[in-house]
Amino acid sequence: METIQMLKTLCQANGVAGCEDGALTAAETICKDLGPCRRTVHNSLICEVMKGKEGAAHLLLDAHIDEIGLTVTHIEDNGFLRVAQCGGVDRRLVMASPVVVHTAKGDLSGVIGSVPPHIQSGEKKNPKIDEIWIDVGMSGEEAKAQIELGDKISFVGPFTEMENNLVSSKAHDDRCCCVAIIKAAEQIKAYWEEHHLEPISLTVLLSAQEETGGLGAQTASFETDPTQAIVVDVTFGTTPEIADKHCGDLNKGAMIGMGATLSRRMARKLIEVGKEQNIPYQVEVMGGGHTGTNADGIVKVGAGIETCCVSVPLRYMHTPIETISTVDVDNTAKLIAAYAISEFAR
């Protein structure tokens, strides 16, 4: 499947953290020829791409498949829904947003309501998440008959193709990285088969609940027990407002993470193969003792897993219009595959 179609299929599937089933079903279809897949107890998807002999190197490729959203906390007698955030929702952007409420009886379209400016008084403010409401067009009796407390709500963000290889959608964080590691795994597997090499173990992990703490990656990496892990997530893409920060430029390749908890050896190897094979890349310095990605959990699993982080630049993070470059996705896949070949092909 082409990159653009994979992105559209995964991003437009729904999978709010803690309720990733729609996105997982879409991913299982994409991965069906890559290797046997299974879901973990916490609803991460593990795809066993290659299985090496006992003692063989084991490379884990991780990207999280969940997206930010909302959770129903209360149903008013007049049918309006009160909510809490599920992941890091930017409350400046939620007003007047279209949403979908996912219930056991089917999906319901809704909108996040607001008080018209004509009848507001005093200083205008961004309401807190627990101050907003969702209108699904139902009476209280109808809403309570179909909607349950705890039902998840996803934002609507259409998939839009733009100029210069850019695409906009909800859930590019982190589905564009899911596409990158799937394509990397395809390339690694094809190389091993073409050259009749003794297989290493290669696992693709599309992990759940990163937006709510990283539970999926930490538990699944314990189960799979890799010797190395490459975590792929998004990072801040350059815009006029943050042009003076060390952000990633779109269309200039993935960002290779340098941080205290990350493997400097792996990062240097990624840089080396990028230079050798003319695969564009950028460098991201991750200060302090954390990266804000699944790498923070994976690196300390068991006796410790050698881990590095590769990031795809993304504009407008945690909004329904997240924007990335398809070329960056493809080059991220090429960089990871080139690393695996250089590191493990014998």
Side-chain angles (χ1 to χ4, degrees), residues 146-163:
Q146 179 156 346
I147 301 167
E148 296 179 352
L149 300 186
D151 282 346
K152 302 298 184 185
I153 301 168
S154 59
F155 292 99
V156 175
F159 192 89
T160 305
E161 296 185 43
M162 301 162 66
E163 299 298 317

Side-chain angles (χ1 to χ4, degrees), residues 33-101:
D33 296 326
L34 189 58
C37 295
R38 67 182 187 277
R39 298 191 190 188
T40 70
V41 66
H42 292 303
N43 228 18
S44 295
L45 184 69
I46 294 173
C47 180
E48 191 177 90
V49 182
M50 294 194 297
K51 181 68 173 176
K53 293 180 179 179
E54 185 175 351
H58 183 180
L59 177 62
L60 175 72
L61 306 180
D62 167 79
H64 71 88
I65 198 163
D66 60 310
E67 63 185 287
I68 62 166
L70 302 167
T71 302
V72 178
T73 59
H74 179 69
I75 303 172
E76 302 279 359
D77 290 339
N78 54 16
F80 293 101
L81 311 180
R82 297 292 184 173
V83 297
Q85 65 184 34
C86 194
V89 176
D90 187 341
R91 62 191 177 96
R92 297 173 303 168
L93 303 169
V94 299
M95 303 311 298
S97 295
V99 295
V100 178
V101 183

Side-chain angles (χ1 to χ4, degrees), residues 22-318:
L24 289 169
T25 298
E28 285 169 337
T29 300
I30 292 171
C31 293
K32 62 183 174 62
D33 296 326
L34 189 58
C37 295
R38 67 182 187 277
R39 298 191 190 188
T40 70
V41 66
H42 292 303
N43 228 18
S44 295
L45 184 69
I46 294 173
C47 180
E48 191 177 90
V49 182
M50 294 194 297
K51 181 68 173 176
K53 293 180 179 179
E54 185 175 351
H58 183 180
L59 177 62
L60 175 72
L61 306 180
D62 167 79
H64 71 88
I65 198 163
D66 60 310
E67 63 185 287
I68 62 166
L70 302 167
T71 302
V72 178
T73 59
H74 179 69
I75 303 172
E76 302 279 359
D77 290 339
N78 54 16
F80 293 101
L81 311 180
R82 297 292 184 173
V83 297
Q85 65 184 34
C86 194
V89 176
D90 187 341
R91 62 191 177 96
R92 297 173 303 168
L93 303 169
V94 299
M95 303 311 298
S97 295
V99 295
V100 178
V101 183
H102 305 287
T103 81
K105 296 180 179 179
D107 289 349
L108 295 172
S109 296
V111 294
I112 298 178
S114 62
V115 177
H118 316 71
I119 57 176
Q120 290 188 38
S121 61
E123 183 181 356
K124 308 298 186 295
K125 66 172 185 175
N126 293 316
K128 297 178 181 178
I129 296 297
D130 60 6
E131 294 175 334
I132 68 172
W133 63 88
I134 290 178
D135 185 351
V136 292
M138 289 181 163
S139 67
E141 183 178 355
E142 291 170 326
K144 290 175 182 179
Q146 179 156 346
I147 301 167
E148 296 179 352
L149 300 186
D151 282 346
K152 302 298 184 185
I153 301 168
S154 59
F155 292 99
V156 175
F159 192 89
T160 305
E161 296 185 43
M162 301 162 66
E163 299 298 317
N164 295 314
N165 311 309
L166 303 194
V167 289
S168 170
S169 177
K170 76 174 184 71
H172 273 310
D173 177 8
D174 192 37
R175 309 267 172 80
C176 72
C177 299
C178 294
V179 172
I181 65 170
I182 291 168
K183 292 182 74 70
E186 290 174 342
Q187 293 170 35
I188 295 166
K189 184 176 183 180
Y191 184 92
W192 253 254
E193 291 177 346
E194 180 183 352
H195 293 83
H196 308 288
L197 300 175
E198 185 71 29
I200 62 168
S201 290
L202 176 64
T203 301
V204 164
L205 170 60
L206 306 182
S207 50
Q209 298 191 53
E210 189 273 348
E211 298 290 0
T212 51
L215 173 68
Q218 194 162 354
T219 52
S221 58
F222 180 86
E223 177 184 337
T224 54
D225 192 26
T227 53
Q228 289 186 24
I230 299 177
V231 172
V232 187
D233 207 330
V234 295
T235 190
F236 301 110
T238 303
T239 59
E241 189 177 37
I242 55 175
D244 59 333
K245 309 296 183 184
H246 185 64
C247 300
D249 293 327
L250 273 62
N251 283 321
K252 292 188 178 179
M255 299 196 79
I256 299 170
M258 292 286 190
T261 60
L262 301 176
S263 170
R264 197 164 182 85
R265 185 195 69 81
M266 292 177 70
R268 285 173 170 162
K269 186 103 176 185
L270 283 160
I271 291 170
E272 179 184 312
V273 297
K275 288 179 179 178
E276 288 176 352
Q277 301 194 29
N278 293 316
I279 303 170
Y281 68 88
Q282 305 171 75
V283 174
E284 180 176 23
V285 178
M286 295 173 157
H290 66 280
T291 67
T293 74
N294 278 334
D296 297 334
I298 291 175
V299 72
K300 58 189 178 185
V301 165
I305 299 170
E306 187 180 17
T307 304
C308 69
C309 190
V310 177
S311 302
V312 175
L314 172 144
R315 295 175 182 165
Y316 324 122
M317 192 177 294
H318 285 196

